[in-house]
Amino acid sequence: MTKMLGAGDPPTVLPLAESAVLDEVEPLPQAAVEGDRSRPLRGCFVTGTDTEVGKTTVSAGLLHALAQQGLRVAGYKPVAAGAVWKLAASDPEGHWYNDDVEALHAASSIELTRGEVCPCLLEEACAPHLAARLEGGRIEPALLIAGAHQLMPRCDVLVVEGAGGFCVPLVESPEFSEAPALPEVTIAAPTDSDWGTDDLAVALDLPVILVVGLRLGCINHALLTAEAVAARGLRLAGWVANRIEPTMPHAQLNIDTLARALRRRHEAPLLGVVSYRAPATAAGVAEDLDIGAVLGALNLRA
């Protein structure tokens, strides 16, 4: 049996591996499915032009910068793929480790368990729907949504980081998936259809911040992603240019082109240009962000 991952904490989603071996899956508790929806979500959904463009780096920087404004902030990574088991002197029992989850956990200003930061942690480092299939289960959308709502009463701002790019699949239609079906629950999209990161963003209904990894092709990737965000009826609140290639030629000209195009087409301002750092830190990234522009873009000004 594949080991179920829960980021070292009691899982808040149906265990993927367990769903593959139980003869009958118990119905999900309605309270867990619904979460606390008495308060609308406040914060942002961070997406990127691709994987490995610095979404986590920028998300952690946003958390740090917003916390410096006296706001209670929480990082949330609904799904993460790629985990290893680690032991440490401070944690002799060990836990499943994922770089993105650790970064958001460390940058949050309120006390969170790793399971609250990431309710669905998968071992295989590949597309989440494939990782779930390989581990014998299926991602449950309802509890990804509920996880965000359960955090909101404890914080002022929730920074949600998506997986990969904006249109990454999370759930496959049973027609294409060999994973067992889960109990039917009320969610923002039917469980018998394909469901992805873009659907998750729509369900959470947060303004979107786009991280653009500065490399050849980023202009096209950024404009296409911005169009995808708009097509789903979401507001592109702004974008962050991240210098992931320190020697990229004409980087500033690329930034200038995107600044004009995204402002003209989507009224999306540039929120900062993140310098290349190895390693990057949340505090360092926060210094590169225009916190006044961030607060304005997310309607967080007093």
Side-chain angles (χ1 to χ4, degrees):
M1 184 176 98
T2 306
K3 182 170 180 61
M4 184 279 297
L5 308 186
D9 300 299
T12 54
V13 296
L14 186 70
L16 296 179
E18 191 171 319
S19 71
V21 298
L22 291 179
D23 292 330
E24 289 188 24
V25 181
E26 291 295 323
L28 296 169
Q30 193 63 26
V33 171
E34 292 298 330
D36 181 357
R37 304 201 182 190
S38 61
R39 182 180 180 187
L41 298 182
R42 192 178 187 209
C44 62
F45 186 94
V46 178
T47 191
T49 48
D50 200 351
T51 191
E52 301 298 328
V53 295
K55 293 190 311 297
T56 302
T57 298
V58 172
S59 296
L62 284 166
L63 288 165
H64 188 90
L66 292 167
Q68 288 184 314
Q69 302 301 304
L71 296 166
R72 298 173 303 156
V73 298
Y76 185 56
K77 177 92 173 179
V79 179
V84 295
W85 184 258
K86 281 196 173 184
L87 298 173
S90 59
D91 184 16
E93 294 185 1
H95 67 274
W96 287 101
Y97 181 96
N98 173 273
D99 287 335
D100 296 354
V101 175
E102 296 298 318
L104 298 184
H105 183 258
S108 299
S109 68
I110 65 171
E111 185 174 344
L112 298 170
T113 66
R114 291 180 177 86
E116 287 176 316
V117 174
C118 180
C120 183
L121 180 57
L122 302 161
E123 183 173 5
E124 290 291 330
C126 61
H129 73 294
L130 297 179
R133 186 201 302 176
L134 290 169
E135 294 178 28
R138 186 178 177 199
I139 295 169
E140 176 48 63
L143 296 186
L144 303 184
I145 298 166
H149 284 275
Q150 288 166 353
L151 291 179
M152 197 69 248
R154 295 157 54 192
C155 65
D156 301 309
V157 182
L158 185 66
V159 175
V160 181
E161 182 194 342
F166 186 64
C167 296
V168 171
L170 297 177
V171 178
E172 291 181 295
S173 165
E175 180 181 355
F176 303 106
S177 174
E178 298 177 358
L182 295 177
E184 291 187 4
V185 292
T186 303
I187 58 174
T191 55
D192 60 353
S193 66
D194 292 338
W195 199 86
T197 299
D198 52 337
D199 297 293
L200 175 60
V202 170
L204 299 181
D205 196 26
L206 287 166
V208 176
I209 290 180
L210 173 62
V211 178
V212 178
L214 294 178
R215 60 188 176 202
L216 186 63
C218 67
I219 294 176
N220 180 56
H221 295 160
L223 296 180
L224 286 174
T225 303
E227 291 296 329
V229 170
R232 297 309 309 269
L234 297 170
R235 180 172 70 90
L236 183 61
W239 66 287
V240 175
N242 188 24
R243 292 182 179 270
I244 57 175
E245 294 185 357
T247 60
M248 178 189 179
H250 316 301
Q252 189 57 53
L253 293 177
N254 280 260
I255 294 171
D256 294 343
T257 297
L258 277 173
R260 289 192 298 268
L262 291 173
R263 174 75 77 171
R264 183 178 69 252
R265 299 183 189 190
H266 302 282
E267 299 182 353
L270 176 61
L271 304 178
V273 178
V274 177
S275 304
Y276 178 81
R277 294 180 178 87
T281 66
V285 172
E287 292 177 0
D288 290 337
L289 297 175
D290 182 344
I291 188 59
V294 171
L295 292 172
L298 301 182
N299 297 321
L300 296 175
R301 294 188 184 278

